[in-house]
Amino acid sequence: MHDGNMQTLLAVTAALLVIVVAAQVCGRIAVKVGQPAVVGEMVSGILLGPTALGAFAPGFSGYVFSEATKPTLYVIAMVGLSLYMFLVGLEHEHHPASRREAVLPVVLAAAGLLCPLLAGGAAALYLEADFRPEGVSLPLFVLFVGGALAVTAFPMLARVLQERGMVHTDFGGVATRAAAIDDALAWCVLAVVGALAVHGNVLDSWKTIVPAAGFAVAAFLILPRIFRKPMTRAVREGHVDDRLLVALLGLVLAAAWFTDYIGIYSVFGGFICGVALPRVRGFSALLNARLLQAVRCLFLPVFFAFSGLNTDLTGALNADYLAALGVVFAAAFVSKVIASLGVLRAFRWGWGESVAMGGLMNARGLMILIFINIGLAIGVLEERLFSILVLIAVLTTAVAMPFYRLHFTPTREQDARDRWAARHSPADPDRRFLQAAATG
């Protein structure tokens, strides 16, 4: 006879196996139809929830995703998210070549936050009679929905551009920096929402905001002093040793615990630590080689599945539901496109590149799922609107690449790479040859 711990172990192990396999299968299908793998992984989470597996195989679903299993999956997902957001923060590297190059991403990110905040707020006013949870104030509900629509998935966008060979282009540089700034601003909005939700009013929310601000300041002051030398040594040796890895893991877990304790959730702790670490060129790639694959292939699929368990689309053909989905999708998609068009046209970019940027900035991916899961946990969202926003995550991410491809054919991508290389390569052909020889 198995004891309770063994029963939980068996169920959780089975759940992890199902989750990882489903994410891989759906991710590969997504790639085959021209979508990023993350779109398929998000869909796999929905399929494992009550929408598909729970409806067609309730006995099996009830075993692997029982009420006893869910808390363990939640812990695994949140630890993985803290590590993932730490790696995201660590990737925020930029060295602008000019003031104009430095200003454009900031303006684009600000517009990409403000337009969806306003559009999402308007959508929330339309939805609030049917979808605002009892006890949640209207301003808080409006701010949360607007903040959720303002998110852009910086890590996914960066990886898409890497796969397309577009990171080292003017377009890629602006896109990745704007998305990184947009994400950081959106997390600030979520921190305020979390503080207001926990404490109920602006005056009492200082109990969360002040410790969070103190934590961020301390991280930026202390972490560079502690970690610059070991990180530089790791790059020089081409290896992150166990001592440094354990120190970083301990840092992320301690930060996750603290930010959870004060009420702004563990993902902020990981993200702030990643951003606050010193910018040592090449270290992010070294650490990613040790951590990212396990986080992406195991922990993130668990998070997608946990999101899917809270997503019930069995009533999605209801007219009211479809109307709400249409309103939120229009607010989410159009606001990002208008923000990108307005800013880039003002900076004299072409229509094609501006539309492509609007498409990519709609790739909300994993970031909006983190955002809305926290909203569900703190009671700002109820499950129907949560399900709608999960669909928004999938739909807006799915339309990103088709809009990008409207302008960027393979020929135009090559032209963009050539233009960037011509400006950043040494003028003297002999210097170019020697530099190429030196770098292999």
Side-chain angles (χ1 to χ4, degrees), residues 139-268:
L140 183 59
F141 180 70
V142 167
L143 180 62
F144 180 83
V145 174
L149 300 191
V151 171
T152 292
F154 160 69
M156 198 203 89
L157 184 146
R159 279 171 178 73
V160 166
L161 290 171
Q162 283 174 344
E163 291 170 4
R164 307 298 303 178
M166 289 288 287
V167 170
H168 296 300
T169 65
D170 292 332
F171 179 90
V174 169
T176 52
R177 294 191 294 276
I181 297 167
D182 183 292
D183 269 1
L185 293 174
W187 295 130
C188 292
V189 171
L190 185 53
V192 172
V193 169
L196 292 173
V198 169
H199 298 289
N201 60 67
V202 176
L203 292 178
D204 287 339
S205 64
W206 68 268
K207 297 173 184 177
T208 292
I209 293 174
V210 170
F215 166 73
V217 170
F220 278 95
L221 290 176
I222 296 172
L223 294 187
R225 297 171 185 265
I226 297 174
F227 285 99
R228 185 177 300 279
K229 286 184 178 179
M231 288 170 64
T232 303
R233 184 173 62 249
V235 172
R236 186 171 60 248
E237 296 173 353
H239 172 68
V240 178
D241 63 31
D242 288 353
R243 232 176 8 171
L244 178 55
L245 182 62
V246 169
L248 291 172
L249 292 176
L251 171 69
V252 174
L253 293 174
W257 177 87
F258 178 76
T259 48
D260 259 331
Y261 181 77
I262 63 175
I264 60 171
Y265 278 78
S266 53
V267 293
F268 292 100

Side-chain angles (χ1 to χ4, degrees), residues 170 353 408 412 414-424:
D170 292 332
E353 289 179 310
F408 279 108
R412 284 177 174 154
Q414 188 59 52
D415 289 344
R417 289 190 288 268
D418 291 344
R419 286 196 303 271
W420 191 91
R423 282 205 311 277
H424 291 80

Side-chain angles (χ1 to χ4, degrees), residues 4 36 63 100 105 118 129 143 149 157 159 216 218 249 261 298 316 321 341-342 363 407 427 436:
Y63 170 66
R100 181 184 178 86
L118 294 173
L143 180 62
L149 300 191
L157 184 146
R159 279 171 178 73
L249 292 176
Y261 181 77
L298 176 61
Y321 189 100
L341 284 174
H407 175 73

Side-chain angles (χ1 to χ4, degrees), residues 112-131:
L113 179 80
L114 291 174
C115 287
L117 268 176
L118 294 173
L125 290 173
Y126 171 79
L127 299 172
E128 66 93 13
D130 296 321
F131 293 95

